[in-house]
Short mmCIF file of all heavy atoms in Angstrom, two decimals:
data_model
loop_
_atom_site.label_atom_id
_atom_site.label_comp_id
_atom_site.label_asym_id
_atom_site.label_seq_id
_atom_site.Cartn_x
_atom_site.Cartn_y
_atom_site.Cartn_z
N VAL N 439 -71.84 -18.20 27.59
CA VAL N 439 -73.11 -17.55 27.28
C VAL N 439 -74.06 -17.70 28.46
O VAL N 439 -74.85 -16.79 28.75
CB VAL N 439 -73.73 -18.13 26.00
CG1 VAL N 439 -75.05 -17.45 25.69
CG2 VAL N 439 -72.76 -17.99 24.83
N ASN N 440 -73.98 -18.82 29.16
CA ASN N 440 -74.85 -19.06 30.32
C ASN N 440 -74.36 -18.36 31.57
O ASN N 440 -75.16 -18.07 32.47
CB ASN N 440 -74.95 -20.56 30.60
CG ASN N 440 -75.49 -21.36 29.44
OD1 ASN N 440 -76.28 -20.85 28.66
ND2 ASN N 440 -75.04 -22.61 29.32
N SER N 441 -73.07 -18.11 31.66
CA SER N 441 -72.49 -17.54 32.88
C SER N 441 -72.15 -16.06 32.71
O SER N 441 -72.89 -15.19 33.17
CB SER N 441 -71.25 -18.33 33.29
OG SER N 441 -70.30 -18.39 32.23
N ALA N 442 -71.07 -15.76 32.02
CA ALA N 442 -70.61 -14.37 31.88
C ALA N 442 -71.64 -13.48 31.22
O ALA N 442 -71.81 -12.31 31.61
CB ALA N 442 -69.29 -14.34 31.10
N ALA N 443 -72.34 -14.00 30.21
CA ALA N 443 -73.33 -13.19 29.49
C ALA N 443 -74.62 -13.00 30.29
O ALA N 443 -75.56 -12.38 29.80
CB ALA N 443 -73.64 -13.81 28.13
N HIS N 444 -74.65 -13.52 31.51
CA HIS N 444 -75.78 -13.26 32.41
C HIS N 444 -75.32 -12.44 33.62
O HIS N 444 -76.11 -12.22 34.53
CB HIS N 444 -76.40 -14.58 32.88
CG HIS N 444 -77.39 -15.15 31.92
ND1 HIS N 444 -78.74 -15.10 32.11
CD2 HIS N 444 -77.20 -15.78 30.73
CE1 HIS N 444 -79.36 -15.68 31.09
NE2 HIS N 444 -78.44 -16.11 30.24
N MET N 445 -74.04 -12.00 33.60
CA MET N 445 -73.52 -11.35 34.80
C MET N 445 -72.73 -10.07 34.53
O MET N 445 -72.83 -9.12 35.30
CB MET N 445 -72.62 -12.33 35.57
CG MET N 445 -73.35 -13.54 36.10
SD MET N 445 -72.25 -14.63 37.04
CE MET N 445 -73.40 -15.88 37.55
N PHE N 446 -71.94 -10.04 33.47
CA PHE N 446 -70.98 -8.95 33.29
C PHE N 446 -71.25 -8.19 31.99
O PHE N 446 -70.88 -8.64 30.91
CB PHE N 446 -69.55 -9.51 33.28
CG PHE N 446 -69.26 -10.44 34.42
CD1 PHE N 446 -68.96 -11.78 34.18
CD2 PHE N 446 -69.31 -10.00 35.73
CE1 PHE N 446 -68.70 -12.64 35.23
CE2 PHE N 446 -69.06 -10.86 36.79
CZ PHE N 446 -68.74 -12.19 36.54
N GLY N 447 -71.90 -7.05 32.11
CA GLY N 447 -72.19 -6.24 30.94
C GLY N 447 -73.34 -5.28 31.19
O GLY N 447 -73.80 -5.11 32.32
N ASN N 448 -73.79 -4.64 30.14
CA ASN N 448 -74.87 -3.65 30.26
C ASN N 448 -76.18 -4.21 29.70
O ASN N 448 -76.21 -5.29 29.11
CB ASN N 448 -74.48 -2.34 29.57
CG ASN N 448 -74.18 -2.56 28.09
OD1 ASN N 448 -73.73 -3.63 27.69
ND2 ASN N 448 -74.43 -1.55 27.28
N LYS N 449 -77.24 -3.42 29.89
CA LYS N 449 -78.58 -3.87 29.49
C LYS N 449 -79.30 -2.78 28.70
O LYS N 449 -80.26 -2.19 29.17
CB LYS N 449 -79.39 -4.25 30.74
CG LYS N 449 -78.73 -5.31 31.61
CD LYS N 449 -79.55 -5.59 32.85
CE LYS N 449 -78.89 -6.62 33.74
NZ LYS N 449 -79.69 -6.92 34.96
N PRO N 450 -78.85 -2.53 27.48
CA PRO N 450 -79.44 -1.43 26.71
C PRO N 450 -80.85 -1.69 26.21
O PRO N 450 -81.55 -0.75 25.81
CB PRO N 450 -78.46 -1.28 25.54
CG PRO N 450 -77.81 -2.61 25.41
CD PRO N 450 -77.73 -3.16 26.80
N TYR N 451 -81.30 -2.95 26.22
CA TYR N 451 -82.61 -3.26 25.65
C TYR N 451 -83.66 -3.55 26.72
O TYR N 451 -84.82 -3.20 26.54
CB TYR N 451 -82.49 -4.45 24.69
CG TYR N 451 -81.50 -4.18 23.59
CD1 TYR N 451 -80.18 -4.64 23.69
CD2 TYR N 451 -81.85 -3.44 22.48
CE1 TYR N 451 -79.26 -4.35 22.70
CE2 TYR N 451 -80.93 -3.14 21.48
CZ TYR N 451 -79.63 -3.61 21.60
OH TYR N 451 -78.72 -3.31 20.62
N ASP N 452 -83.27 -4.20 27.79
CA ASP N 452 -84.22 -4.49 28.87
C ASP N 452 -83.45 -4.53 30.19
O ASP N 452 -82.76 -5.50 30.49
CB ASP N 452 -84.94 -5.81 28.62
CG ASP N 452 -86.12 -6.01 29.58
OD1 ASP N 452 -86.19 -5.31 30.60
OD2 ASP N 452 -86.97 -6.88 29.29
N ARG N 453 -83.59 -3.49 30.98
CA ARG N 453 -82.86 -3.38 32.24
C ARG N 453 -83.42 -4.28 33.32
O ARG N 453 -82.78 -4.48 34.37
CB ARG N 453 -82.88 -1.92 32.73
CG ARG N 453 -84.27 -1.40 33.05
CD ARG N 453 -84.26 0.08 33.43
NE ARG N 453 -85.60 0.58 33.70
CZ ARG N 453 -86.44 1.03 32.77
NH1 ARG N 453 -86.06 1.01 31.50
NH2 ARG N 453 -87.65 1.48 33.10
N LYS N 454 -84.61 -4.85 33.11
CA LYS N 454 -85.26 -5.65 34.14
C LYS N 454 -84.92 -7.13 34.07
O LYS N 454 -85.33 -7.89 34.94
CB LYS N 454 -86.78 -5.46 34.07
CG LYS N 454 -87.23 -4.03 34.37
CD LYS N 454 -88.75 -3.90 34.32
CE LYS N 454 -89.18 -2.47 34.64
NZ LYS N 454 -90.66 -2.32 34.59
N ILE N 455 -84.20 -7.55 33.05
CA ILE N 455 -83.80 -8.96 32.95
C ILE N 455 -82.32 -9.08 33.25
O ILE N 455 -81.58 -8.10 33.21
CB ILE N 455 -84.13 -9.54 31.55
CG1 ILE N 455 -83.37 -8.79 30.45
CG2 ILE N 455 -85.63 -9.51 31.30
CD1 ILE N 455 -83.57 -9.37 29.07
N GLN N 456 -81.87 -10.27 33.54
CA GLN N 456 -80.49 -10.47 33.96
C GLN N 456 -79.48 -10.58 32.82
O GLN N 456 -78.33 -10.17 32.98
CB GLN N 456 -80.39 -11.71 34.86
CG GLN N 456 -79.09 -11.78 35.65
CD GLN N 456 -79.24 -12.59 36.92
OE1 GLN N 456 -80.28 -12.55 37.56
NE2 GLN N 456 -78.21 -13.33 37.27
N PRO N 457 -79.80 -11.14 31.66
CA PRO N 457 -78.82 -11.25 30.57
C PRO N 457 -78.28 -9.89 30.16
O PRO N 457 -78.99 -8.88 30.21
CB PRO N 457 -79.63 -11.88 29.44
CG PRO N 457 -80.73 -12.61 30.12
CD PRO N 457 -81.08 -11.78 31.31
N VAL N 458 -77.02 -9.86 29.75
CA VAL N 458 -76.32 -8.61 29.44
C VAL N 458 -75.63 -8.70 28.08
O VAL N 458 -75.54 -9.77 27.47
CB VAL N 458 -75.27 -8.31 30.53
CG1 VAL N 458 -75.92 -8.10 31.88
CG2 VAL N 458 -74.22 -9.42 30.60
N GLU N 459 -75.12 -7.57 27.63
CA GLU N 459 -74.30 -7.50 26.41
C GLU N 459 -72.84 -7.69 26.82
O GLU N 459 -72.32 -6.93 27.65
CB GLU N 459 -74.47 -6.14 25.73
CG GLU N 459 -75.91 -5.78 25.39
CD GLU N 459 -76.45 -6.55 24.20
OE1 GLU N 459 -76.14 -6.16 23.06
OE2 GLU N 459 -77.18 -7.53 24.44
N ASN N 460 -72.17 -8.68 26.26
CA ASN N 460 -70.79 -8.97 26.65
C ASN N 460 -69.94 -9.17 25.40
O ASN N 460 -70.11 -10.16 24.67
CB ASN N 460 -70.74 -10.21 27.54
CG ASN N 460 -69.38 -10.44 28.16
OD1 ASN N 460 -68.40 -10.67 27.46
ND2 ASN N 460 -69.31 -10.40 29.48
N LEU N 461 -69.04 -8.23 25.13
CA LEU N 461 -68.21 -8.25 23.93
C LEU N 461 -67.33 -9.48 23.85
O LEU N 461 -67.24 -10.14 22.81
CB LEU N 461 -67.36 -6.99 23.85
CG LEU N 461 -66.32 -6.93 22.73
CD1 LEU N 461 -67.00 -6.98 21.37
CD2 LEU N 461 -65.47 -5.67 22.86
N MET N 462 -66.65 -9.82 24.93
CA MET N 462 -65.71 -10.95 24.92
C MET N 462 -66.44 -12.26 24.62
O MET N 462 -65.95 -13.09 23.83
CB MET N 462 -64.97 -11.05 26.25
CG MET N 462 -63.88 -12.13 26.26
SD MET N 462 -62.67 -11.94 24.92
CE MET N 462 -61.93 -10.36 25.37
N VAL N 463 -67.59 -12.46 25.23
CA VAL N 463 -68.35 -13.67 24.96
C VAL N 463 -68.79 -13.70 23.50
O VAL N 463 -68.77 -14.75 22.85
CB VAL N 463 -69.58 -13.77 25.89
CG1 VAL N 463 -70.43 -14.98 25.53
CG2 VAL N 463 -69.13 -13.87 27.34
N SER N 464 -69.16 -12.54 22.96
CA SER N 464 -69.57 -12.48 21.56
C SER N 464 -68.44 -12.89 20.62
O SER N 464 -68.66 -13.56 19.62
CB SER N 464 -70.05 -11.07 21.21
OG SER N 464 -71.22 -10.75 21.93
N ILE N 465 -67.22 -12.49 20.95
CA ILE N 465 -66.06 -12.86 20.13
C ILE N 465 -65.82 -14.36 20.21
O ILE N 465 -65.64 -15.04 19.20
CB ILE N 465 -64.82 -12.09 20.59
CG1 ILE N 465 -64.99 -10.59 20.31
CG2 ILE N 465 -63.56 -12.62 19.89
CD1 ILE N 465 -63.91 -9.72 20.91
N LEU N 466 -65.82 -14.90 21.42
CA LEU N 466 -65.51 -16.32 21.61
C LEU N 466 -66.64 -17.23 21.15
O LEU N 466 -66.38 -18.33 20.64
CB LEU N 466 -65.21 -16.58 23.09
CG LEU N 466 -63.96 -15.89 23.66
CD1 LEU N 466 -63.86 -16.13 25.17
CD2 LEU N 466 -62.70 -16.39 22.97
N ALA N 467 -67.88 -16.78 21.29
CA ALA N 467 -69.04 -17.63 20.97
C ALA N 467 -69.68 -17.24 19.64
O ALA N 467 -70.87 -17.50 19.44
CB ALA N 467 -70.06 -17.57 22.10
N MET N 468 -68.92 -16.63 18.76
CA MET N 468 -69.35 -16.36 17.39
C MET N 468 -70.63 -15.53 17.31
O MET N 468 -71.51 -15.78 16.50
CB MET N 468 -69.52 -17.68 16.62
CG MET N 468 -68.25 -18.50 16.53
SD MET N 468 -68.47 -20.09 15.68
CE MET N 468 -68.83 -19.55 13.99
N GLY N 469 -70.76 -14.55 18.23
CA GLY N 469 -71.88 -13.63 18.17
C GLY N 469 -73.00 -13.90 19.15
O GLY N 469 -74.04 -13.24 19.11
N GLU N 470 -72.78 -14.82 20.09
CA GLU N 470 -73.85 -15.19 21.03
C GLU N 470 -73.82 -14.39 22.33
O GLU N 470 -74.63 -14.65 23.22
CB GLU N 470 -73.76 -16.68 21.34
CG GLU N 470 -73.96 -17.59 20.15
CD GLU N 470 -75.35 -17.54 19.56
OE1 GLU N 470 -76.21 -18.31 20.00
OE2 GLU N 470 -75.59 -16.72 18.66
N GLY N 471 -72.90 -13.44 22.46
CA GLY N 471 -72.77 -12.72 23.72
C GLY N 471 -73.62 -11.46 23.83
O GLY N 471 -73.62 -10.82 24.88
N TRP N 472 -74.32 -11.11 22.75
CA TRP N 472 -75.21 -9.94 22.83
C TRP N 472 -76.53 -10.43 23.44
O TRP N 472 -77.57 -10.47 22.81
CB TRP N 472 -75.41 -9.36 21.44
CG TRP N 472 -74.11 -9.05 20.75
CD1 TRP N 472 -73.65 -9.60 19.60
CD2 TRP N 472 -73.10 -8.14 21.20
NE1 TRP N 472 -72.40 -9.08 19.29
CE2 TRP N 472 -72.04 -8.18 20.26
CE3 TRP N 472 -72.98 -7.29 22.30
CZ2 TRP N 472 -70.89 -7.42 20.40
CZ3 TRP N 472 -71.82 -6.52 22.44
CH2 TRP N 472 -70.81 -6.59 21.49
N HIS N 473 -76.43 -10.75 24.72
CA HIS N 473 -77.46 -11.59 25.34
C HIS N 473 -78.66 -10.80 25.86
O HIS N 473 -79.75 -11.34 25.95
CB HIS N 473 -76.82 -12.41 26.46
CG HIS N 473 -77.34 -13.81 26.52
ND1 HIS N 473 -77.49 -14.61 25.42
CD2 HIS N 473 -77.77 -14.56 27.57
CE1 HIS N 473 -77.97 -15.78 25.77
NE2 HIS N 473 -78.16 -15.77 27.08
N ASN N 474 -78.45 -9.55 26.21
CA ASN N 474 -79.61 -8.74 26.61
C ASN N 474 -80.53 -8.54 25.41
O ASN N 474 -81.76 -8.63 25.54
CB ASN N 474 -79.13 -7.39 27.15
CG ASN N 474 -80.26 -6.58 27.77
OD1 ASN N 474 -80.71 -5.59 27.20
ND2 ASN N 474 -80.72 -7.00 28.94
N TYR N 475 -79.93 -8.32 24.26
CA TYR N 475 -80.71 -8.21 23.03
C TYR N 475 -81.40 -9.54 22.71
O TYR N 475 -82.59 -9.57 22.38
CB TYR N 475 -79.82 -7.80 21.85
CG TYR N 475 -80.57 -7.70 20.54
CD1 TYR N 475 -81.11 -6.49 20.12
CD2 TYR N 475 -80.74 -8.82 19.72
CE1 TYR N 475 -81.82 -6.39 18.93
CE2 TYR N 475 -81.45 -8.74 18.53
CZ TYR N 475 -81.99 -7.51 18.14
OH TYR N 475 -82.69 -7.42 16.96
N HIS N 476 -80.65 -10.63 22.81
CA HIS N 476 -81.20 -11.92 22.43
C HIS N 476 -82.38 -12.31 23.30
O HIS N 476 -83.38 -12.84 22.80
CB HIS N 476 -80.12 -13.00 22.51
CG HIS N 476 -80.66 -14.38 22.29
ND1 HIS N 476 -81.29 -14.75 21.12
CD2 HIS N 476 -80.69 -15.48 23.09
CE1 HIS N 476 -81.67 -16.02 21.20
NE2 HIS N 476 -81.33 -16.48 22.39
N HIS N 477 -82.32 -12.06 24.59
CA HIS N 477 -83.45 -12.41 25.46
C HIS N 477 -84.63 -11.46 25.24
O HIS N 477 -85.75 -11.79 25.60
CB HIS N 477 -83.02 -12.42 26.92
CG HIS N 477 -82.49 -13.75 27.38
ND1 HIS N 477 -83.22 -14.61 28.16
CD2 HIS N 477 -81.31 -14.37 27.13
CE1 HIS N 477 -82.51 -15.71 28.39
NE2 HIS N 477 -81.35 -15.59 27.79
N THR N 478 -84.36 -10.28 24.68
CA THR N 478 -85.43 -9.35 24.36
C THR N 478 -86.09 -9.71 23.03
O THR N 478 -87.32 -9.64 22.89
CB THR N 478 -84.89 -7.91 24.28
OG1 THR N 478 -84.20 -7.59 25.50
CG2 THR N 478 -86.02 -6.91 24.07
N PHE N 479 -85.27 -10.13 22.06
CA PHE N 479 -85.76 -10.54 20.75
C PHE N 479 -85.21 -11.93 20.40
O PHE N 479 -84.36 -12.06 19.52
CB PHE N 479 -85.33 -9.54 19.67
CG PHE N 479 -85.76 -8.11 19.92
CD1 PHE N 479 -84.87 -7.18 20.40
CD2 PHE N 479 -87.08 -7.73 19.67
CE1 PHE N 479 -85.26 -5.87 20.62
CE2 PHE N 479 -87.48 -6.42 19.89
CZ PHE N 479 -86.57 -5.47 20.37
N PRO N 480 -85.67 -12.98 21.08
CA PRO N 480 -85.09 -14.31 20.87
C PRO N 480 -85.32 -14.88 19.49
O PRO N 480 -84.63 -15.81 19.07
CB PRO N 480 -85.78 -15.16 21.94
CG PRO N 480 -87.05 -14.44 22.25
CD PRO N 480 -86.73 -12.99 22.11
N TRP N 481 -86.27 -14.32 18.75
CA TRP N 481 -86.60 -14.84 17.42
C TRP N 481 -85.80 -14.17 16.30
O TRP N 481 -85.98 -14.49 15.12
CB TRP N 481 -88.10 -14.65 17.15
CG TRP N 481 -88.63 -13.32 17.61
CD1 TRP N 481 -89.15 -13.03 18.84
CD2 TRP N 481 -88.67 -12.11 16.86
NE1 TRP N 481 -89.53 -11.71 18.90
CE2 TRP N 481 -89.23 -11.12 17.70
CE3 TRP N 481 -88.29 -11.76 15.57
CZ2 TRP N 481 -89.43 -9.80 17.28
CZ3 TRP N 481 -88.47 -10.45 15.15
CH2 TRP N 481 -89.04 -9.49 16.00
N ASP N 482 -84.91 -13.23 16.65
CA ASP N 482 -84.08 -12.57 15.64
C ASP N 482 -82.94 -13.51 15.23
O ASP N 482 -82.16 -13.95 16.08
CB ASP N 482 -83.50 -11.28 16.21
CG ASP N 482 -82.78 -10.44 15.16
OD1 ASP N 482 -82.44 -10.98 14.08
OD2 ASP N 482 -82.53 -9.25 15.43
N TYR N 483 -82.80 -13.80 13.95
CA TYR N 483 -81.78 -14.74 13.48
C TYR N 483 -80.37 -14.24 13.73
O TYR N 483 -79.43 -15.03 13.78
CB TYR N 483 -81.97 -15.04 11.98
CG TYR N 483 -81.30 -14.05 11.06
CD1 TYR N 483 -80.08 -14.33 10.45
CD2 TYR N 483 -81.89 -12.80 10.79
CE1 TYR N 483 -79.45 -13.42 9.61
CE2 TYR N 483 -81.28 -11.90 9.96
CZ TYR N 483 -80.05 -12.21 9.36
OH TYR N 483 -79.44 -11.30 8.53
#
């Protein structure tokens, strides 16, 4: 989540930040790889 989800993927929610959406990380980390969304809405459960 700290490495791949900040480097490899797209940015559909905020193109100006580094975190990205990463499917593989989401599978392995139980949903934590949708990182562009998470850094945009960190308070979403």
Side-chain angles (χ1 to χ4, degrees):
V439 180
N440 301 330
S441 55
H444 277 255
M445 296 182 178
F446 311 116
N448 59 330
K449 303 177 182 181
Y451 303 97
D452 191 344
R453 63 184 179 275
K454 296 182 180 180
I455 61 176
Q456 196 155 323
V458 297
E459 304 285 280
N460 189 297
L461 173 62
M462 185 55 64
V463 176
S464 295
I465 294 171
L466 295 174
M468 300 178 67
E470 298 293 271
W472 307 118
H473 220 45
N474 188 253
Y475 179 92
H476 173 60
H477 271 256
T478 306
F479 303 103
W481 42 269
D482 188 343
Y483 86 100

